[in-house]
Amino acid sequence: MNPRILAIETAILEKNDRLAEALRAEFAQRGIFAINVVSSPGSGKTALLEKTLDALAPEIPTAIIVGDLQTDNDARRLDGKGAKVLQITTDGYCHLEANMVRAALDRLGMDGLRLLVVENVGNLVCPASHDLGENMRVTLLSVTEGEDKPLKYPVMFKSSQVVVLTKIDLAEATGFDRETCLNNVRAIAPDAQIFELSARTGEGMDAWLSFLRQRVSAGNSIN
Amino acid sequence: MNPRILAIETAILEKNDRLAEALRAEFAQRGIFAINVVSSPGSGKTALLEKTLDALAPEIPTAIIVGDLQTDNDARRLDGKGAKVLQITTDGYCHLEANMVRAALDRLGMDGLRLLVVENVGNLVCPASHDLGENMRVTLLSVTEGEDKPLKYPVMFKSSQVVVLTKIDLAEATGFDRETCLNNVRAIAPDAQIFELSARTGEGMDAWLSFLRQRVSAGNSIN
């Protein structure tokens, strides 16, 4: 839009990328597998992570960093499940950055951790261009949002190694067209692994949990 | 975050505000009532606007400007209903700005218009701080997104004169807690007018359409 702000944004993005690379190197050294979970507001990030922590936190030392503009609602929902939890409130900022993740980890401590989950701010645009040092970006898309979202938010979907279709228990009630949606995901992110699940009914959760367990065991060499 | 980028963002926001004020003055002069429709991706902006144009475009000269990162899907859905339609693709930009609306209006023409609808990029964060010269900001929240969204995205809800709860036909299937949601809306936006509707079943549409008709007839002095 504006050459001046674009130049500065590029410089800031480059700085973020350097910080993210440093985080990724430290995760590798410490054997931590890190995922960055992104979606629209209300796609079910916290619901999925509640069930994920219920299953995995007792067996895998896990930390979770939760980003929101305001409130610590999500951190409270994720607390008490055996994982370390820290809420970042961005006070209007539309995404998390690597320096926020670094600051959160400095407070939480990384000793002995195997899995780090970052729940990003609910936004399908801005988090797409901010690497947080993760080994895997996981984008959620609920069946209530419409089949064309991968086409309309291609940067996010293109940069994701995993796409999770959530709330599949509502597919029939919403008239969700599964084939069209899967085709749209594949058109934008042909290599992404796709899961279809409902955190509420538990349908499809086993495949997601097995995949995560396997990735954590394999270490963080897969990038 | 960064004092340098913040200073420049402030300057850009001030420039946007001046352009928005100029648009608002021109709308007043021409007797155009302008609304800015915002929400998460997939809350049902286009579905609501399809039904709104079906009802109003035959009786009210209407133009609609649609913002998306990519695709002209939404403009195609809104075309052929009697309104002038123009798609803006922002190519990764997370919101519309007043200069984009100005450029779109220069192409569409404003002569004889009574109602201007801007469908913003699906994003509950960035569009909140960008005035487009509208007389009324309308934020949609679908019942599938969760009752706490007004608390988590307060800037958007606080700046809205109207909040529309959409997809109420799915309220039961999603276990939507209506009272909690309405209380959250009122806590953040106590003066906002609230509508509850389903574009799919038509429930609640009459109240929304009557309200819009009345606002257009009253002219754009209400701000």
Side-chain angles (χ1 to χ4, degrees):
Chain A
M1 289 283 80
N2 178 311
R4 202 157 49 119
I5 198 168
L6 278 186
I8 290 184
E9 277 182 350
T10 303
I12 288 181
L13 281 175
E14 281 169 6
K15 188 181 164 206
N16 183 75
D17 284 351
R18 283 198 305 276
L19 283 172
E21 281 307 326
L23 277 173
R24 192 156 20 239
E26 186 164 355
F27 296 155
Q29 194 185 8
R30 291 177 176 270
I32 298 172
F33 187 71
I35 69 174
N36 179 6
V37 181
V38 294
S39 78
S40 301
S43 298
K45 291 184 293 302
T46 313
L48 174 61
L49 294 176
E50 281 178 311
K51 296 298 168 69
T52 302
L53 290 186
D54 282 341
L56 297 189
E59 53 189 88
I60 300 170
T62 301
I64 180 157
I65 297 170
V66 187
D68 274 301
L69 273 67
Q70 289 294 343
T71 82
D72 62 352
N73 290 0
D74 289 356
R76 282 191 278 113
R77 285 172 61 186
L78 296 167
D79 206 16
K81 294 179 181 295
K84 293 180 174 185
V85 182
L86 190 78
Q87 175 86 46
I88 299 176
T89 52
T90 65
D91 195 26
Y93 227 62
C94 58
H95 59 272
L96 292 179
E97 299 192 353
N99 62 356
M100 302 176 192
V101 172
R102 161 61 66 190
L105 287 170
D106 286 346
R107 279 186 59 184
L108 282 174
M110 284 194 265
D111 287 351
L113 275 190
R114 298 294 310 282
L115 173 63
L116 171 66
V117 178
V118 180
E119 181 184 342
N120 218 314
V121 175
N123 184 335
L124 270 185
V125 188
C126 313
S129 40
H130 290 85
D131 186 0
L132 303 181
E134 70 265 21
N135 302 104
M136 189 169 87
R137 187 171 290 183
V138 180
T139 296
L140 273 55
L141 172 62
S142 83
V143 301
T144 63
E145 288 171 53
E147 298 81 5
D148 64 348
K149 294 300 166 291
L151 308 179
K152 293 170 80 175
Y153 301 87
V155 184
M156 185 66 92
F157 283 88
K158 210 171 284 186
S159 69
S160 300
Q161 288 77 46
V162 174
V163 173
V164 182
L165 299 188
T166 61
K167 307 192 190 183
I168 57 168
D169 54 308
L170 297 176
E172 203 178 316
T174 55
F176 179 65
D177 180 345
R178 178 174 176 270
E179 275 317 303
T180 299
C181 186
L182 291 175
N183 287 339
N184 289 341
V185 172
R186 289 188 195 111
I188 300 294
D191 298 326
Q193 185 138 357
I194 301 173
F195 294 90
E196 301 170 68
L197 55 79
S198 164
R200 191 161 63 157
T201 67
E203 191 182 348
M205 284 296 296
D206 283 348
W208 160 249
L209 293 170
S210 302
F211 169 78
L212 259 190
R213 274 192 194 95
Q214 184 268 322
R215 281 297 174 95
V216 172
S217 308
N220 73 5
S221 58
I222 309 130
N223 188 4
Chain B
M1 291 282 77
N2 178 312
R4 203 158 47 120
I5 197 166
L6 277 186
I8 289 185
E9 277 182 350
T10 303
I12 288 182
L13 282 175
E14 281 168 7
K15 188 181 164 206
N16 183 74
D17 284 351
R18 283 198 305 276
L19 283 171
E21 281 306 327
L23 277 174
R24 192 156 21 239
E26 186 164 355
F27 296 154
Q29 195 185 8
R30 290 177 176 271
I32 298 172
F33 187 70
I35 69 174
N36 179 5
V37 182
V38 293
S39 78
S40 300
S43 299
K45 291 184 293 301
T46 312
L48 175 61
L49 294 175
E50 282 178 310
K51 297 298 169 69
T52 301
L53 290 186
D54 282 341
L56 297 189
E59 54 187 88
I60 300 170
T62 300
I64 180 156
I65 298 170
V66 187
D68 274 301
L69 272 67
Q70 289 294 343
T71 84
D72 61 353
N73 291 0
D74 289 355
R76 282 191 278 112
R77 285 172 62 186
L78 296 167
D79 207 14
K81 294 179 181 295
K84 293 180 174 185
V85 181
L86 190 78
Q87 175 86 47
I88 299 175
T89 52
T90 65
D91 195 26
Y93 227 63
C94 59
H95 59 272
L96 293 180
E97 298 193 354
N99 62 356
M100 303 177 192
V101 173
R102 161 61 68 188
L105 287 170
D106 286 346
R107 280 186 59 184
L108 283 173
M110 283 193 266
D111 286 351
L113 276 190
R114 297 294 310 282
L115 173 62
L116 171 66
V117 178
V118 180
E119 182 184 341
N120 218 314
V121 176
N123 184 334
L124 271 184
V125 188
C126 314
S129 39
H130 290 85
D131 185 359
L132 303 181
E134 71 265 21
N135 302 104
M136 189 168 85
R137 186 171 290 182
V138 180
T139 295
L140 273 54
L141 172 64
S142 82
V143 302
T144 64
E145 289 171 54
E147 298 81 3
D148 64 348
K149 293 301 168 289
L151 308 180
K152 293 170 81 174
Y153 301 87
V155 183
M156 185 66 91
F157 283 88
K158 210 172 283 187
S159 68
S160 301
Q161 287 77 44
V162 174
V163 173
V164 182
L165 299 188
T166 61
K167 307 191 189 183
I168 58 167
D169 54 307
L170 298 175
E172 202 177 319
T174 55
F176 179 64
D177 180 345
R178 178 175 176 270
E179 275 316 302
T180 299
C181 187
L182 291 175
N183 286 339
N184 289 341
V185 172
R186 290 188 195 112
I188 300 295
D191 298 325
Q193 186 139 355
I194 301 173
F195 293 90
E196 302 170 66
L197 55 81
S198 164
R200 191 160 63 155
T201 67
E203 190 182 349
M205 283 297 295
D206 283 347
W208 160 250
L209 293 170
S210 303
F211 170 78
L212 259 190
R213 274 192 195 96
Q214 184 269 322
R215 280 297 174 95
V216 173
S217 309
N220 73 4
S221 58
I222 308 129
N223 188 8

